[in-house]
Amino acid sequence: MSMTVEDCTRVRPGFPRPFPNTASNVMQQLSMAGKVVIVTGAADGIGYAVAEAMAEAGADVGMWYNSNDVAIQKAKDLAQTHSIRAIPYKVDVSDPQQVQDTIAKAAQDFGKLDVFIANAGMAISKPILEQTIDEYRKQMSVNVDGVLFCAKYAGEIFRSQGHGNLIITSSMSGHIVNVPVDQPVYNGSKAFVTHFGKSLAREWRDFARVNIVSPGFFDTKMGAGPLALNEAYRMAALGRQGHVKEIKGLYLYLASDASSYMTGSDVIIDGGYVLS
């Protein structure tokens, strides 16, 4: 759509918008005290590291898990260690009714919802000619449908509150095809949620921010498998996988007031893999 000189000089009603009423001190900007954060896939790996980061910064945390019940004890430990509220919720993100009900319950339990981190995901690393239709559907139900359901129902809370912050965990795989194991369905699912998040940032611009994190290989259950490990080392400029402690600060930045002028961004954190 082209714009005329007159279009560019016309004063838009309601613009410019005011600066946010946030702290000037950067450490105060990074504080999550008084905020409520939900993290999906929070039982282990990146999800638990993110939940831990939010608790360390003072937020109350809703920890969503599906099959890994260790989240129950981990929530108790976070609450005791950091003097915050941490509540575990068992929910299958591929089930829209469970997602809707659990978001409503969490908002009621905590009284509000400031940040939702749609992190849960799965990978079946097979070439498309070897992957079954059921395996395809399973991946898409979690990686695509799960993110969409979480965004839809968290977004309803954000709109009703007049504020909110959605962070989507995507992957560097959504940007490149030279991953060391054939996984076209996984790559496609992550490309979807990356562009979905950017579209939401425009759609929700009046009441919420939306950003995307695209990790490379981290030393987790979903990190580089035995067949891919050496290639991951070779391709990453830093020559290794990431440790989950190295991603905590990025999610904290995006969840906090420190990133109040950031929306629609996709941040790649991959040790320089996509440079290759």
Side-chain angles (χ1 to χ4, degrees):
M1 179 179 178
S2 61
M3 296 180 67
T4 67
V5 172
E6 183 181 353
D7 291 331
C8 295
T9 58
R10 184 182 294 119
V11 176
R12 297 172 63 191
F15 290 86
R17 292 173 176 169
F19 296 128
N21 184 24
T22 56
S24 296
N25 182 286
V26 70
M27 299 310 294
Q28 293 176 5
Q29 291 176 9
L30 288 166
S31 172
M32 295 295 290
K35 294 188 177 182
V36 174
V37 182
I38 288 177
V39 185
T40 70
D44 56 20
I46 289 176
Y48 177 68
V50 171
E52 186 178 46
M54 300 302 142
E56 290 168 346
D60 291 332
V61 183
M63 296 175 61
W64 285 24
Y65 70 100
N66 187 16
S67 59
N68 194 343
D69 291 342
V70 300
I72 299 171
Q73 185 58 50
K74 287 183 175 181
K76 292 179 181 177
D77 293 342
L78 284 183
Q80 183 175 12
T81 301
H82 303 290
S83 299
I84 53 92
R85 295 182 70 196
I87 304 176
Y89 298 90
K90 184 176 177 62
V91 53
D92 178 356
V93 297
S94 69
D95 183 328
Q97 192 62 57
Q98 287 190 42
V99 171
Q100 184 178 25
D101 292 346
T102 309
I103 286 178
K105 186 177 189 313
Q108 183 177 39
D109 290 343
F110 289 109
K112 61 173 182 173
L113 174 57
D114 295 299
V115 184
F116 194 102
I117 301 175
N119 170 77
M122 65 168 297
I124 299 174
S125 297
K126 290 183 179 180
I128 189 63
L129 297 182
E130 297 177 12
Q131 190 163 132
T132 68
I133 297 301
D134 285 343
E135 288 173 331
Y136 157 79
R137 287 175 174 156
K138 179 62 177 177
Q139 284 188 91
M140 298 299 279
S141 73
V142 175
N143 294 354
V144 172
D145 295 347
V147 171
L148 187 147
F149 299 152
C150 289
K152 176 175 174 58
Y153 297 116
E156 291 179 353
I157 300 290
F158 293 161
R159 184 172 59 183
S160 67
Q161 295 174 157
H163 69 89
N165 185 349
L166 174 68
I167 302 170
I168 296 171
T169 299
S170 183
S171 171
M172 68 172 185
S173 297
H175 299 263
I176 58 175
V177 296
N178 63 327
V179 287
V181 175
D182 292 329
Q183 48 186 33
V185 173
Y186 177 79
N187 296 353
S189 71
K190 292 303 184 178
F192 176 97
V193 297
T194 295
H195 288 279
F196 176 64
K198 291 180 179 182
S199 296
L200 283 183
R202 290 286 299 172
E203 182 179 308
W204 294 0
R205 59 189 178 273
D206 291 332
F207 59 87
R209 296 192 293 120
V210 183
N211 290 290
I212 305 104
V213 177
S214 290
F217 287 115
F218 278 76
D219 188 14
T220 68
K221 293 177 182 177
M222 284 186 63
L227 296 177
L229 201 55
N230 287 331
E231 185 69 356
Y233 295 159
R234 184 183 72 82
M235 292 288 285
L238 295 183
R240 60 178 174 85
Q241 294 192 88
H243 191 285
V244 290
K245 67 183 179 183
E246 297 177 289
I247 205 168
K248 293 165 70 173
L250 175 54
Y251 279 89
L252 175 59
Y253 170 71
L254 293 175
S256 73
D257 290 339
S259 62
S260 57
Y261 192 55
M262 192 168 183
T263 194
S265 292
D266 173 23
V267 184
I268 299 174
I269 176 167
D270 68 345
Y273 188 102
V274 300
L275 298 174
S276 302

